[in-house]
């Protein structure tokens, strides 16, 4: 088979231009994930046009073509984002600028302009993702740009591409210590370095302060982490991992929302919440992802407010934890919780009527069922158990795709569709409890979490979002009841994935379960290792806040400015200098070592070599010096041979240094 080859090799300019194009594509490629499709297509077409012009040796397009194209592109950015300012519009314009600049390179200076613009585009990738993968890809992009910049500056014979890539990687490696020093010591600021305020508020939200049918089933399809937890000791069992969030008590027939604070008339103050705890507390640390809300999550039941740096936390009468400001960046706080507790068991319920209110004229079947429960079961706990038996044995299904519900949503769910997610079961249970005369409310948050055996962190994902109920019973207080556990106990005891039917990709039943990594398998270990690496990156790099920097600097000040630390630092620097000098001596050519030895010996004889003196000039000065004829002749012959070896071009018959060290050693022995 005949292989097509270029008729002639590419010129140096064409090779450099194509290398610049390849580096530019590497920088622009990650931006395709968030740029509008038309920007990606326009940039791809522009770069392909430039590559074709380079290969064919054609001229650049005239300004009459480029200027209208650039104006149209800027108008497109304005139409898409309704502004030319801010993060997204600014990045889109910069990407287009780099692409159009490739068609407007007429001088060597233009090449460096494109390279420096690409360096800035590398930085803009971190506006959208700061993961390890993004950082590694940006390192590769920087090496490619450095290689391109080196290629422009090289003259004469150009090394192979592999050698130039190694040179670029070496430059990056030399700059890494200085970059690390700047990362740890350069003053850090709170808030984003780029963009308008709305750019900083673009964090993905999780739980809100309301609950409607379908809301949690949508969250359950997201694997994004909500927060990570590290316990100081052994973690609690999976059924005890209830992470408390917003408490909902108002229902309008469709949506559950939080109760508005009600005024208290007269002299009676609102009753404080009493908590009785049993057992030892669990100490843990929470690393929470940005949610753009003020909610903080804690294992039921927290002992005290979380300790947060740079922010303050508060608690509501319903035991909801809140930050003073919306969580728009990753935060970390420490807590202690009791998993065995009683909530408000030794006092009457204040304002019990607000936990019994139901919308007028809605769900008549459920209202009648509640009245029957009150008549059939005089004890409130018996009514609770009766409803749980109904969920367990009444043919109810736990599904991510429940049927749509109409105006009387609770009636339709309980007596018609009988299929729903946690918000359906929790909402219907609370409605039925109130209809039966039992104060009840919906509690939202997260349940469970996945333990990573490599780093010991629990990852609580958006898919772990959950809703359960609390009922108030005499002498027991608020008691947690999870109606979902009556229908799908695997959801609470194991995980959401174990409670739902296995997906069927391509319509093949059971294939989804086979595609999931089995516990302890190699694929599961790899997934845990990647998750642990990402968590470590988040904990120690992305979560390096100004507060942590201040603590580090204080620690360095305390530990490094004592006389012992100063002495150890000086000793370490001296050892590094000695090691560097020894390393250079070991890397020195044997012939150069002999030359240094000769210069040292002649210096002892009163003829030191000047720093700017070469071997030929040195030999001339030695020849005119007052020195014995034997050592003088040996030194002159040594310097002549060394000069010929150092500066004369090699020949095939006498390669550089072939047998020379032996001859020079013998000559050096005569110089005494």
């Amino acid at each position: 088979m005949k292989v097509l080859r270029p008729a002639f090799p590419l010129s140096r300019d064409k090779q450099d231009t194509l290398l610049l194009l390849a580096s530019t594509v590497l920088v622009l490629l990650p931006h395709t994930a968030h740029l509008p499709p038309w920007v990606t297509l326009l940039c791809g077409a522009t770069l392909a046009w430039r590559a074709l012009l380079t290969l064919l040796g054609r001229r650049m397009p005239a300004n009459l073509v480029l200027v209208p194209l650039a104006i149209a592109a800027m108008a497109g950015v304005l139409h898409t984002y309704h502004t030319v300012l801010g993060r997204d519009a600014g990045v889109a314009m910069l990407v287009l600028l780099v692409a159009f600049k490739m068609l407007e390179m007429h001088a060597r200076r233009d090449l460096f302009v494109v390279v420096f613009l690409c360096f800035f585009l590398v930085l803009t990738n971190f506006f959208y993702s700061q993961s390890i993968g993004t950082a590694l890809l940006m390192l590769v992009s920087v090496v490619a740009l450095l290689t391109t910049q080196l290629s422009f500056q090289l003259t004469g014979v150009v090394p192979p591409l592999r050698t130039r890539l190694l040179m670029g990687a070496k430059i990056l490696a030399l700059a890494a210590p200085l970059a690390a020093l700047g990362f740890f010591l350069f003053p850090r600021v709170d808030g984003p370095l780029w963009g308008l305020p709305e750019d900083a508020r673009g964090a993905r939200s999780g739980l809100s302060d309301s609950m409607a049918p379908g809301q949690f089933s949508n969250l359950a399809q997201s694997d994004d982490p909500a927060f990570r937890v590290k316990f100081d000791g052994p973690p609690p069992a999976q059924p005890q991992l209830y992470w408390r969030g917003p408490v909902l008590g108002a229902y309008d027939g469709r949506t559950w929302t939080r109760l508005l604070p009600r005024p208290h008339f007269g002299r009676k103050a609102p009753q404080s919440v009493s908590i009785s705890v049993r057992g030892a507390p669990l100490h843990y640390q929470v690393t929470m992802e940005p949610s753009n809300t003020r909610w903080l999550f804690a294992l039921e039941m927290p002992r005290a407010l979380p300790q947060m740096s740079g922010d303050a936390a508060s608690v509501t009468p319903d035991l909801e934890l809140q930050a003073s400001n919306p969580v728009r960046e990753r935060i970390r706080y420490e807590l202690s919780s009791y998993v065995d507790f009683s909530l408000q068991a030794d006092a009457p319920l204040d304002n019990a009527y607000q936990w019994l209110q139901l919308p007028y004229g809605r769900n008549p079947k459920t209202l009648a069922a509640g009245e029957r429960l009150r008549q059939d079961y005089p004890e409130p706990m018996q009514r609770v158990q009766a409803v749980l038996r109904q969920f367990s044995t009444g043919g109810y299904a736990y599904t991510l795709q429940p049927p749509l519900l109409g105006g009387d949503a609770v009636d339709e769910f309980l007596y018609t569709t009988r299929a729903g997610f946690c918000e359906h079961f929790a909402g219907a249970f609370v409605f039925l409890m109130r209809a039966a005369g039992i104060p009840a409310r919906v509690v939202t948050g997260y349940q469970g979490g996945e333990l990573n055996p490599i780093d010991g962190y629990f990852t609580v994902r958006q898919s772990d979002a959950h809703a359960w109920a609390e009922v108030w019973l005499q002498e027991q207080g608020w008691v947690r009841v999870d109606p979902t556990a009556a229908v799908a106990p695997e959801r609470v005891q194991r995980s959401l994935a174990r409670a739902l039917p296995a997906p069927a990709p391509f319509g093949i039943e059971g294939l989804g379960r086979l595609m999931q990594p089995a516990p302890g398998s190699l694929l599961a270990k790899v997934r845990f290792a990647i998750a642990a690496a990402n968590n470590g990156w988040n904990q120690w790099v992305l979560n390096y806040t100004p507060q942590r920097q201040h603590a580090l600097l204080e620690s360095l000040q305390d530990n490094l400015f004592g006389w012992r630390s100063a002495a150890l630092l000086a000793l370490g620097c001296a050892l590094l200098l000695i090691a560097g000098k020894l390393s250079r001596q070991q890397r020195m050519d044997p012939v150069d070592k002999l030359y240094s030895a000769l210069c040292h010996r002649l210096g002892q004889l009163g003829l030191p070599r000047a720093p700017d003196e070469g071997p030929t000039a040195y030999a001339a000065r030695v020849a005119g010096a007052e020195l014995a004829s034997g050592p003088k002749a040996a030194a002159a012959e040594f310097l002549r041979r060394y000069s010929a070896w150092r500066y004369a071009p090699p020949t095939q018959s006498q390669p550089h240094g072939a047998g020379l060290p032996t001859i020079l050693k013998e000559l050096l022995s005569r110089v005494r």
Side-chain angles (χ1 to χ4, degrees):
M1 182 177 178
K2 189 175 181 180
V3 179
L4 296 178
R5 298 182 182 275
F8 51 89
L10 295 175
S11 65
R12 168 73 183 280
D13 291 339
K14 290 184 177 181
Q15 292 180 14
D16 290 344
T17 303
L18 292 177
L19 182 59
L20 177 60
L21 280 170
S23 301
T24 304
V25 170
L26 189 61
V27 173
L28 297 181
L29 194 60
H31 285 289
T32 59
H34 54 80
L35 286 174
W38 70 267
V39 174
T40 302
L41 293 176
L42 180 58
C43 290
T46 303
L47 296 178
W49 186 9
R50 182 65 175 89
L52 187 62
L53 292 176
T54 301
L55 292 174
L56 298 179
R58 303 291 178 83
R59 292 183 177 180
M60 299 289 182
N63 289 337
L64 292 177
V65 177
L66 291 179
V67 172
L69 184 61
I71 293 175
M74 298 304 107
V77 172
L78 180 61
H79 175 74
T80 301
Y81 297 103
H82 306 291
T83 181
V84 292
L85 302 176
R87 180 193 65 180
D88 297 334
V91 170
M93 293 185 67
L94 186 59
V95 167
L96 291 169
L97 175 62
V98 170
F100 291 151
K101 186 63 180 176
M102 298 294 298
L103 293 173
E104 199 259 336
M105 293 191 302
H106 301 290
R108 188 180 184 86
R109 179 184 65 87
D110 296 326
L111 300 173
F112 292 100
V113 169
V114 173
V115 170
F116 295 145
L117 286 175
C118 286
F119 275 123
F120 190 78
L121 269 177
V122 167
L123 176 64
T124 61
N125 278 290
F126 292 106
F127 298 158
Y128 301 93
S129 174
Q130 298 179 5
S131 64
I132 295 181
T134 300
L136 293 177
L137 182 58
M138 293 307 100
L139 286 177
V140 174
S141 301
V142 169
V143 171
L145 290 173
L146 289 174
T147 303
T148 304
Q149 187 176 359
L150 284 172
S151 301
F152 295 156
Q153 296 174 319
L154 291 173
T155 59
V157 180
V158 180
L161 179 59
R162 180 179 179 182
T163 303
R164 284 176 282 162
L165 286 171
L166 291 176
M167 293 171 63
K170 185 180 294 186
I171 292 175
L172 182 62
L174 291 174
L178 184 61
L181 190 65
F183 174 81
F184 286 107
L185 300 183
F186 191 83
R188 309 182 76 83
V189 296
D190 287 311
L193 291 174
W194 169 272
L196 299 176
E198 55 265 27
D199 292 332
R201 298 190 182 102
R204 189 168 44 248
S205 297
L207 287 180
S208 65
D209 54 0
S210 63
M211 184 186 78
Q215 179 179 343
F216 280 73
S217 56
N218 291 332
L219 277 178
Q221 301 179 47
S222 172
D223 283 335
D224 295 333
F227 53 90
R228 293 178 173 87
V229 182
K230 176 77 171 188
F231 287 94
D232 290 348
Q238 188 81 6
Q240 295 178 313
L241 294 177
Y242 279 86
W243 308 96
R244 191 180 186 89
V247 177
L248 313 178
Y251 184 58
D252 61 3
R254 180 69 182 177
T255 303
W256 288 90
T257 56
R258 299 178 66 232
L259 282 172
L260 296 177
R262 294 180 178 271
H264 292 262
F265 300 99
R267 296 182 179 179
K268 184 180 179 181
Q271 181 181 355
S272 60
V273 179
S274 62
I275 305 175
S276 301
V277 297
R278 295 170 290 276
L282 297 172
H283 305 284
Y284 56 97
Q285 184 184 79
V286 178
T287 304
M288 186 173 169
E289 298 294 322
S291 63
N292 216 11
T293 67
R294 296 172 56 196
W295 301 117
L296 303 176
F297 298 93
L299 185 67
E300 288 188 326
M301 184 62 65
R303 181 173 64 175
L305 292 177
Q307 301 298 319
M308 303 170 58
S309 59
D311 203 349
S314 60
V315 62
T316 68
D318 299 331
L319 298 181
E320 305 159 306
L321 294 181
Q322 291 182 325
S324 58
N325 300 300
V327 180
R328 296 192 178 118
E329 60 183 10
R330 187 177 289 105
I331 62 173
R332 182 186 300 177
Y333 53 90
E334 296 182 355
L335 275 170
S336 297
S337 294
Y338 293 92
V339 295
D340 189 4
F341 62 92
S342 297
L343 179 58
Q344 209 167 341
D346 54 356
L349 181 63
D350 186 33
N351 293 333
Y353 67 92
Q354 66 184 354
W355 306 112
L356 290 168
Q357 290 182 340
L358 291 172
Y360 178 77
R362 295 291 188 92
N363 305 296
K365 293 183 180 180
T366 308
L367 289 174
E371 185 62 31
R372 289 194 300 271
L373 284 172
R374 191 185 308 208
Q375 296 174 1
D376 296 342
Y377 302 99
E379 293 296 328
M381 194 60 189
Q382 294 176 341
R383 302 171 212 166
V384 172
Q385 294 173 349
V387 176
L388 293 179
R389 283 196 301 270
Q390 176 183 340
F391 284 159
S392 178
T393 61
Y396 290 89
Y398 184 65
T399 176
L400 275 175
Q401 298 176 340
L404 296 177
L405 302 175
D408 294 328
V410 178
D411 278 359
E412 293 183 25
F413 167 69
L414 288 177
Y415 304 108
T416 305
T417 63
R418 297 176 183 262
F421 202 56
C422 62
E423 68 266 33
H424 298 81
F425 291 99
F429 179 84
V430 171
F431 190 101
L432 196 50
M433 287 295 99
R434 291 186 177 187
I438 300 176
R441 60 191 182 188
V442 176
V443 183
T444 61
Y446 297 88
Q447 199 286 319
E450 183 182 36
L451 175 63
N452 190 326
I454 295 179
D455 59 5
Y457 275 84
F458 272 90
T459 300
V460 181
R461 307 182 184 277
Q462 298 295 350
S463 57
D464 295 316
H466 194 53
W468 59 94
E470 283 183 343
V471 297
W472 193 84
L473 303 176
Q474 190 70 33
E475 298 182 356
Q476 296 185 50
W478 287 106
V479 178
R480 181 204 304 149
V481 180
D482 193 346
T484 303
V487 183
E490 286 287 323
R491 167 63 185 90
V492 175
Q493 297 174 3
R494 302 288 294 278
S495 65
L496 175 66
R498 296 292 179 180
L500 294 172
F506 312 107
I508 303 176
E509 296 292 338
L511 181 58
R513 188 70 71 189
L514 292 176
M515 294 174 62
Q516 295 178 357
S521 65
L522 178 61
L523 185 59
K525 293 179 181 178
V526 171
R527 186 171 68 90
F528 282 132
I530 295 175
N534 285 325
N535 182 49
W537 174 264
N538 294 337
Q539 296 286 338
W540 302 108
V541 178
L542 301 186
N543 202 38
Y544 186 64
T545 60
Q547 292 76 24
R548 296 188 68 186
Q549 184 187 50
H550 183 69
L552 173 65
L553 294 179
E554 285 187 343
S555 176
L556 291 177
Q557 182 178 2
D558 295 338
N559 295 327
L560 293 183
F561 287 93
W563 69 269
R564 291 187 178 87
S565 300
L568 289 175
L569 183 62
L571 179 61
C573 292
L575 291 176
L576 286 176
L577 292 175
I578 295 173
K581 186 174 182 180
L582 292 176
S583 177
R584 287 193 299 271
Q585 290 179 353
Q586 290 178 355
R587 292 196 303 266
M588 187 181 296
D589 190 276
V591 177
D592 288 327
K593 288 184 179 180
L594 292 171
Y595 177 64
S596 298
L598 175 71
C599 295
H600 178 70
R601 188 164 298 178
L602 289 175
Q604 291 177 338
L605 297 176
L607 292 172
R609 185 178 68 85
D612 59 344
E613 195 172 24
T616 302
Y618 194 25
R621 189 159 62 89
V622 169
E626 294 183 0
L627 197 65
S629 59
K632 181 186 293 187
E637 180 65 15
F638 185 107
L639 292 171
R640 184 189 69 79
R641 289 179 177 272
Y642 175 78
S643 180
W645 172 81
R646 171 57 65 189
Y647 301 111
T651 61
Q652 295 182 355
S653 59
Q654 187 178 356
H656 281 338
L660 185 61
T662 303
I663 299 174
L664 295 183
K665 283 182 182 179
E666 197 274 332
L667 291 172
L668 179 62
S669 64
R670 301 180 191 175
V671 182
R672 296 186 181 279

